[in-house]
Amino acid sequence: MNTAEIDGAPTAASPASGPRSVWDVLGQAPAEAQLQRAVAHHRLGHTMIFAGPEGVGKFRTALALAKTCLCDHPVITHNAQALPNLPPGAPIKTFCNHCEACHAVDGGVHPDVHVITRDLIRYHDRGGKSKGTTLSIQVIRGEITGNDNPDAPAEAKIYKRPARGPSKWFIIDEAHLMEIPAQNSLLKTLEEPPPNSYLVLLTVAPEDLLSTIRSRSQVVPFHPLPEKLIAAALSQRGLPADTVAVISHIAQGSLGAALKFSDDLTLIEKENEAADKPTKKPPEKPGAKTEDKRPFTPGGVVAWSAEIARLLDALISGRTGATALAEALLGFSGEFADLALLRDPLASKDRAARDGLILLLRIAADHLATHLRRQLAAGADTEACDCYLELIEQARQAESQIDRNAHIPMALAALTHAWESCCVINAVR
């Protein structure tokens, strides 16, 4: 098990400033308080759903909860100001951070802590054809519920006794990606949960889980982080103030996304420097066009955001057409996917490209929303404001279509053509 933050919140190696409360989780005091109440009153659910955006500390909290319950010498204190959602003097339980159990959890080797991700399909798909875009039934059976398939037998880990501590923990990342057969397989376990076992489902979309799973689970909500907390964390990395401002805004409350964008700046610089190194190829003929061999746009998402804003403004003012904007969106989403593959060579490039395009469309919609706010502040007529609303809605619809595996070039062509038509018809200048 890797104890790095799966959903992107900071690890001990990448601290962020701001209120961290008892479990060293940034900005999620209400969730911690809910769990502390459950622990204090021995009402911790055997199945919990941690619901909230990516990169806000769901995994970090789940790991801290497991670590607390597995600690050999847990620490009991009384609430002062750490958790404002708990009354003063309320008991607070946390881990000692010194015992063997704590060290085992931190090292990712505790036998009673199991982290389940969709990437585990690489170990359970004997055909080797899966890209790991969903959480399949093979993963759930192989890591939790087991099966009696003679060709690929798997023990039911959840029904085994804890190997070391008083309980065993199964943390399922991106639980909303579980296929329906996988959810049904898990549901049978939830109906009669074995003693001393806990399932924590991390999800950005709890509505994608079966209602029968939700009804058997304690739901712990997590919320987007304030932009100022994300900016403070990025500032500790020595980034320029303007870069911090752009990334912390684009991250939309996700520290995990912000840290990834920040890491990408270093990765892009490294890759571009490698591409610029001279090779032993013969010199080009005099007058030959020199191609830019750098694979990435310097500045990453910061530069992408600025270029999208520039092209949108040009489209709105009639200075350019839809083609240039579509090409930019397609190119930047390709860069986003290439960065994802550099971080994980076994990732799905198509899924990464879609995720990148969804991010870019959100950036575009946010820029259009800024235009709309300016129009409203200036007392613009209803027709102009309605046009901006239409442009934003078209972006949201394209996001949904691309997320549902629509053909990317066709979806982009349709979107940018609709944007261009809307600007011409409504004469948004």
Side-chain angles (χ1 to χ4, degrees), residues 241-317:
D242 55 346
T243 299
V244 167
V246 172
I247 291 180
S248 58
H249 181 69
I250 290 174
Q252 295 185 327
S254 170
L255 180 58
L259 295 177
K260 182 178 69 175
F261 296 151
S262 172
D263 290 339
D264 282 348
L265 298 180
T266 303
L267 183 58
I268 287 171
E269 185 176 355
K270 177 182 176 181
E271 292 295 316
N272 285 348
E273 285 179 357
D276 286 338
K277 288 182 179 179
T279 64
K280 295 182 179 180
K281 291 181 179 180
E284 296 179 355
K285 297 179 181 179
K289 183 179 179 181
T290 302
E291 294 184 2
D292 186 357
K293 299 176 182 178
R294 294 177 298 178
F296 298 105
T297 303
V301 72
V302 178
W304 304 343
S305 177
E307 180 64 7
I308 289 170
R310 185 189 71 80
L311 290 171
L312 267 175
D313 290 343
L315 181 65
I316 290 170
S317 63

Side-chain angles (χ1 to χ4, degrees), residues 94-247:
T94 189
F95 44 81
C96 73
N97 224 25
H98 301 293
C99 67
E100 290 184 7
C102 286
H103 290 319
V105 173
D106 290 342
V109 293
H110 198 294
D112 295 322
V113 178
H114 307 269
V115 177
I116 293 89
T117 70
R118 54 190 168 96
D119 293 336
L120 289 173
I121 189 62
R122 297 164 190 169
Y123 302 101
H124 297 287
D125 175 19
R126 297 188 174 229
K129 297 180 180 179
S130 175
K131 287 287 189 178
T133 56
T134 61
L135 259 170
S136 72
I137 190 170
Q138 293 105 309
V139 171
I140 297 302
R141 284 177 173 170
E143 297 295 323
I144 304 177
T145 62
N147 65 52
D148 55 3
N149 183 351
D151 296 326
E155 62 179 355
K157 294 181 181 180
I158 197 167
Y159 289 105
K160 294 182 67 177
R161 291 178 179 272
R164 186 195 185 282
S167 56
K168 51 189 180 295
W169 292 76
F170 298 84
I171 302 172
I172 305 178
D173 188 42
E174 298 181 301
H176 53 281
L177 295 181
M178 278 193 292
E179 299 170 353
I180 295 301
Q183 294 193 45
N184 283 326
S185 176
L186 193 63
L187 182 59
K188 296 176 182 178
T189 300
L190 304 188
E191 291 172 346
E192 295 182 10
N196 303 319
S197 65
Y198 296 93
L199 281 161
V200 186
L201 282 62
L202 314 180
T203 177
V204 300
E207 66 277 5
D208 288 347
L209 298 173
L210 294 174
S211 60
T212 43
I213 290 181
R214 298 197 304 268
S215 65
R216 289 169 169 80
S217 306
Q218 286 182 355
V219 178
V220 182
F222 286 71
H223 303 286
L225 299 175
E227 198 169 304
K228 64 180 181 180
L229 292 185
I230 296 176
L234 293 175
S235 295
Q236 290 188 351
R237 296 186 159 204
L239 296 175
D242 55 346
T243 299
V244 167
V246 172
I247 291 180

Side-chain angles (χ1 to χ4, degrees), residues 42-101:
H42 304 285
R43 293 179 179 173
L44 203 60
H46 284 281
T47 306
M48 291 166 276
I49 295 175
F50 286 10
E54 290 185 4
V56 297
K58 299 189 299 297
F59 179 79
R60 192 185 190 102
T61 304
L63 201 63
L65 176 61
K67 187 176 174 181
T68 296
C69 294
L70 293 171
C71 179
D72 294 333
H73 308 291
V75 178
I76 307 294
T77 58
H78 296 284
N79 187 43
Q81 296 179 342
L83 295 177
N85 300 75
L86 287 181
I92 291 179
K93 184 177 182 179
T94 189
F95 44 81
C96 73
N97 224 25
H98 301 293
C99 67
E100 290 184 7

